[in-house]
Amino acid sequence: MPRFRMANPQTQGLAGIARLFQVFTGTAAPACVDVDRWGTMNEDERIAQHSSSADMTRIAIEHNCALAPDTKNR
């Protein structure tokens, strides 16, 4: 039975080149900056921004962001 292999669009074409450049230069993706900013907010401020701890974790995983140690247990 033949396999159908899905390609990750974030690693293809210009997006892949941009991500590779970000890795080498240490530039953060905009989503990672948002996750970092949400991590400094308290729960009420996050609710006002329509974000939750689950959203932070999901976005950090999707964009390979490094979570600060104090935001992992929130």
Side-chain angles (χ1 to χ4, degrees):
M1 185 161 155
R3 286 186 179 175
F4 180 71
R5 194 171 205 163
M6 299 288 291
N8 182 355
Q10 294 179 340
T11 61
Q12 304 294 313
L14 290 176
I17 294 170
R19 285 186 171 276
L20 188 63
F21 182 73
Q22 287 176 345
V23 169
F24 287 127
T25 60
T27 320
C32 295
V33 174
D34 288 340
V35 168
D36 187 48
R37 185 183 48 152
W38 294 337
T40 62
M41 295 180 181
N42 64 30
E43 195 63 35
D44 293 331
E45 291 172 331
R46 273 193 245 149
I47 289 170
Q49 293 291 322
H50 305 288
S51 64
S52 67
S53 297
D55 291 335
M56 286 175 45
T57 305
R58 179 182 51 81
I59 292 171
I61 291 170
E62 285 177 1
H63 294 276
N64 296 323
C65 303
L67 284 175
D70 61 332
T71 59
K72 288 182 180 179
N73 296 323
R74 287 187 180 181

